[in-house]
Amino acid sequence: MDFLQMMGRENSTLVTEFILLGLASKPEEQLVLFGVFTVIYLVALIGNMLILLLVSLDSRLHTPMYFFLGNLSVVDIGYISSTVPKMLANYLSRDMSISWAGCLSQMFFFISFGGIECLILGVMAYDRYVAICHPLHYCTFMRRRVCALLAAAAWAIGLANSAVHSCLMSILSFCRVNILRHFFCDIPPLLQLSCSDTQVNQAATFALGGGLVSSSLLGTLVSYVYIALAILRIRTREGRLKAFSTCTSHLTVVSLYFGTILFTYLRPNSTYSQDQDRALPVLYGIIIPMLNPIIYSLRNKEVKGSLRKVLGRS
């Protein structure tokens, strides 16, 4: 405890760097986590890059669904890269510090890619809705220009949302402890450490961040209500199972992703615990970006066929 207090510099000096304690404090535990997260990071990079390669090389995958999957792969690469490399470097060097500018940059990219992922998942739900409920008009509703505008809007809104949070965070003062019991710089733990009034930041988190997540989640839920009604109208059991199977992977990730996001950000700052809640971002910020290429695409027959085709050419 004395060491933590010394590292925290509990005095009136403004904090210029933070100490990221990570997910473990013992060297042997850090070594295990270094190996685990190195494997996860490599799997995520290889899986998502493979999806991008296949979508770009195979003309059969030049469809709206795979266009959005390609966007999701780019987002997932950025999402996991915003936190894991710094965490691995900290475990390897035993230097757990991060500058205030580096902390703010890390938060900006993490919130950006998180917001974009929310919106892309919502757009993908709309794509499934059109494919199942309006199959004859799918090519009309999901024209290339429409898909490009939907993806561009997701990126623009996600970046703008993160820019607002980062600007509000940059004007706060940190003059007490500088220890973050976390593996990256995030909004809730930073607000807890600030010695400034954080009411505006909390309001922005609820209004902007909550609005982004809630609107995407609401759009997803509405899409699936219509999808469920359309599936129930299919006469054959095989037809219903086939239609539902196209949505199960997306629905699983949506449930995990939005559930943890809502629990982390849309609650009072006073109920946030750095010790108890630092493991949640591991699920939606690290595990899900690794699983997305597997559950969305690598189990898909079209992607498997494309992979065999590319390997055959090689």
Side-chain angles (χ1 to χ4, degrees), residues 106-165:
Q106 188 181 61
M107 190 197 79
F108 170 79
F109 287 111
F110 184 82
I111 299 299
S112 292
F113 289 118
I116 297 168
E117 178 129 348
C118 284
L119 295 169
I120 291 293
L121 288 174
V123 171
M124 292 173 70
Y126 174 73
D127 174 74
R128 292 299 82 205
Y129 156 74
V130 176
I132 293 175
C133 299
H134 303 282
L136 299 179
H137 300 91
Y138 182 76
C139 293
T140 302
F141 288 170
M142 303 303 294
R143 299 187 305 274
R144 180 175 299 182
R145 178 178 174 82
V146 173
C147 294
L149 288 175
L150 289 173
W155 280 84
I157 294 172
L159 291 170
N161 171 66
S162 183
V164 172
H165 293 300

Side-chain angles (χ1 to χ4, degrees), residues 98-305:
I98 183 172
S99 67
W100 170 226
C103 186
L104 199 63
S105 298
Q106 188 181 61
M107 190 197 79
F108 170 79
F109 287 111
F110 184 82
I111 299 299
S112 292
F113 289 118
I116 297 168
E117 178 129 348
C118 284
L119 295 169
I120 291 293
L121 288 174
V123 171
M124 292 173 70
Y126 174 73
D127 174 74
R128 292 299 82 205
Y129 156 74
V130 176
I132 293 175
C133 299
H134 303 282
L136 299 179
H137 300 91
Y138 182 76
C139 293
T140 302
F141 288 170
M142 303 303 294
R143 299 187 305 274
R144 180 175 299 182
R145 178 178 174 82
V146 173
C147 294
L149 288 175
L150 289 173
W155 280 84
I157 294 172
L159 291 170
N161 171 66
S162 183
V164 172
H165 293 300
S166 299
C167 289
L168 291 175
M169 188 67 70
S170 68
I171 63 178
L172 296 181
S173 297
F174 296 85
C175 49
R176 296 196 294 268
V177 69
N178 68 335
I179 295 174
L180 285 171
R181 299 181 184 276
H182 217 306
F183 65 93
F184 74 102
C185 293
D186 199 9
I187 293 177
L190 284 172
L191 292 183
Q192 279 200 331
L193 294 187
S194 176
C195 52
S196 302
D197 185 357
T198 62
Q199 289 186 0
V200 174
N201 299 73
Q202 294 185 55
T205 301
F206 276 92
L208 298 179
L212 185 152
V213 175
S214 300
S215 61
S216 181
L217 179 59
L218 180 61
T220 300
L221 292 176
V222 171
S223 296
Y224 273 108
V225 168
Y226 282 102
I227 288 172
L229 294 175
I231 290 176
L232 291 176
R233 287 195 294 267
I234 299 177
R235 295 181 179 180
T236 64
R237 182 174 180 272
E238 292 76 11
R240 289 194 296 270
L241 290 176
K242 184 177 180 180
F244 182 72
S245 66
T246 64
C247 306
T248 52
S249 296
H250 179 263
L251 195 57
T252 301
V253 173
V254 163
S255 301
L256 290 172
Y257 188 77
F258 282 104
T260 51
I261 286 284
L262 290 171
F263 183 77
T264 301
Y265 294 102
L266 300 186
R267 57 178 172 148
N269 189 47
S270 58
T271 65
Y272 181 84
S273 171
Q274 291 193 42
D275 289 322
Q276 297 177 5
D277 298 331
R278 60 181 171 175
L280 281 174
V282 174
L283 179 60
Y284 63 81
I286 298 179
I287 301 299
I288 289 180
M290 178 196 68
L291 293 178
N292 277 344
I294 299 173
I295 61 181
Y296 276 129
S297 302
L298 296 183
R299 295 177 60 188
N300 183 287
K301 292 182 179 180
E302 292 179 335
V303 175
K304 285 183 178 180

Side-chain angles (χ1 to χ4, degrees), residues 36-53:
V36 170
F37 285 113
T38 297
V39 172
I40 291 175
Y41 185 57
L42 291 176
V43 171
L45 287 183
I46 294 171
N48 284 292
M49 287 181 177
L50 184 60
I51 295 302
L52 289 173
L53 179 65

